[in-house]
Amino acid sequence: MKIAIVGASGMVGRTFLSILEEKGFSYSTLTLFASPRSAGNVVKYQGHDLVIKELNEQSFDEGFDVALFSAGGSTSLKYAPIAASKGCYVIDNSSAFRMDPNIPLVVPEVNAHELMNMNGYIIANPNCSTIQSVLVLNALKHLGIKRVSYTSYQAVSGSGYQGIKDLERTLEGNAPEYYPQPIAHNVIPLIDVLLDNGYSKEEIKMMEETKKILNLPDLKVSATCVRVPVKNAHSVSIQCEFDQEVDLDQVKVSLNAHPFVKVSDSIVTPRDVSGHDVALVTRLRKDLSVDHGIHCFVIADNIRKGAALNAIQILEVLIERSIVHV
Ligand code: A2P
């Protein structure tokens, strides 16, 4: 299997590498691409030095089987179709293709079956906050979900190295260079751009992607997305209403059945999941303000389960189902 990583110098790109290394993935070649800024930089992988190459229109001529992309939407829009046209499966972490009806948007624990009916070679990896949220909702789907309301508390690592640097910079008392306001000792109730309807693009991503992944096009879902001064791991407060009575013990059993989800009876925080693969669900309780509803708080490492790990789980399904051959 010939693997390419696009955006290899970035936060998610580096995590693709560490997860492939942790899992002992077998491959024949592993090629790293980034912008001209990092071309020539050396990355250590399994004791070898890998040199980052500049991405260009000929990069996919050498016949890759799979490319993991995390280099932003415009890079994906330009280069993913080139890779796909050469028979390379692209697992894309940007939002460029997520809502394309012909492209599967996959969280393997929820809708891996979408990978069996693909028309093309591009697969979209969902938004980080959406991934951890749909893991919870999927376990509740059989109860007939009437309405969902999300509030996210998103770490600065979701903006890549630029976000982390801006947190450090503003913690030292300097002016922000990336976020519109200082993120240190603050929260910013806007992620991505504000749209004419009053929602942010990030909120619309959470709302629309949730419906697509769960295959519930008429689901009523709303979101408020907030950037918080946490280095890594996103939290999402979920309020969910159902058509019927909910048994919390049953919900716990369904959630714990996922290998990467654990319900915790104690209070857990982003620090407890940063660097780990599991999504922790805490504060699970009935919503006393409606007939049939729950509240919970789900926390996950947005760079691992929210991005790189989910993409590699997609790759594992492609291999298991012989769509990609090792
Ligand atoms: P580079 O480091 O050379 O700029 P992050 O989200 O952590 O900031 O990472 C973004 C990743 O996307 C980096 O690896 C970055 O490379 C890469 N990238 C950004 N723009 C391009 C581009 N035009 N072509 C290839 N890679 C790009």
Side-chain angles (χ1 to χ4, degrees), residues 289-308:
S289 71
V290 293
D291 287 339
H292 310 301
I294 60 144
H295 276 290
C296 69
F297 200 79
V298 57
I299 309 166
D301 184 324
N302 50 295
I303 302 295
R304 290 183 73 94
K305 183 55 189 159

Side-chain angles (χ1 to χ4, degrees), residues 74-294:
S74 55
T75 305
S76 293
L77 276 172
K78 179 166 177 192
Y79 293 100
I82 298 177
S85 72
K86 295 179 194 295
C88 169
Y89 282 95
V90 172
I91 305 173
D92 180 38
N93 192 47
S94 81
S95 60
F97 304 103
R98 289 180 189 152
M99 293 315 297
D100 183 327
N102 297 312
I103 291 184
L105 178 66
V106 177
V107 176
E109 293 91 331
V110 179
N111 63 342
H113 56 270
E114 300 284 351
L115 297 170
M116 302 308 289
N117 313 314
M118 284 194 297
N119 297 320
Y121 285 85
I122 301 178
I123 299 143
N125 205 40
N127 165 274
C128 40
S129 300
T130 309
I131 292 177
Q132 65 194 71
S133 303
V134 296
L135 286 173
V136 174
L137 295 181
N138 188 50
L140 301 163
K141 196 178 162 188
H142 64 284
L143 296 169
I145 304 176
K146 263 176 46 183
R147 179 174 175 271
V148 176
S149 176
Y150 293 135
T151 304
S152 73
Y153 304 77
Q154 298 184 215
V156 293
S157 62
S159 312
Y161 287 120
Q162 311 227 55
I164 294 198
K165 281 190 204 140
D166 224 40
L167 174 60
E168 290 167 353
R169 186 181 287 128
T170 53
L171 276 171
E172 286 165 5
N174 299 311
E177 290 179 19
Y178 180 72
Y179 294 118
Q181 320 260 350
I183 186 66
H185 310 301
N186 208 0
V187 297
I188 304 176
L190 176 66
I191 299 181
D192 210 329
V193 295
L194 197 57
L195 303 171
D196 289 343
N197 62 6
Y199 282 87
S200 69
K201 224 169 155 187
E202 183 80 354
E203 288 157 357
I204 298 292
K205 283 181 216 165
M206 277 195 89
M207 291 150 63
E208 295 306 317
E209 292 179 26
T210 294
K211 295 192 245 183
K212 179 167 174 178
I213 298 163
L214 294 173
N215 193 22
L216 294 173
D218 300 323
L219 182 67
K220 288 187 177 14
V221 48
S222 188
T224 301
C225 293
V226 181
R227 185 73 66 195
V228 295
V230 168
K231 195 166 170 190
N232 191 43
H234 289 351
S235 308
V236 182
S237 171
I238 304 177
Q239 189 222 345
C240 189
E241 284 177 59
F242 306 93
D243 291 329
Q244 51 182 288
E245 189 52 42
V246 185
D247 176 346
L248 284 187
D249 290 333
Q250 190 54 51
V251 170
K252 278 188 198 174
V253 170
S254 315
L255 285 169
N256 284 326
H258 286 307
F260 292 116
V261 183
K262 279 281 150 296
V263 180
S264 176
D265 291 326
S266 52
I267 302 302
V268 286
T269 69
R271 286 180 180 231
D272 297 307
V273 293
S274 184
H276 300 283
D277 292 342
V278 71
L280 291 178
V281 181
T282 183
R283 304 290 323 279
L284 178 62
R285 62 204 189 276
K286 289 221 170 148
D287 180 344
L288 300 179
S289 71
V290 293
D291 287 339
H292 310 301
I294 60 144

Side-chain angles (χ1 to χ4, degrees), residues 7-11 34-35 37-38 55 70-71 75 160-161:
S9 53
M11 194 146 243
S35 82
R37 290 180 290 275
S38 332
L55 183 70
S70 189
T75 305
Y161 287 120

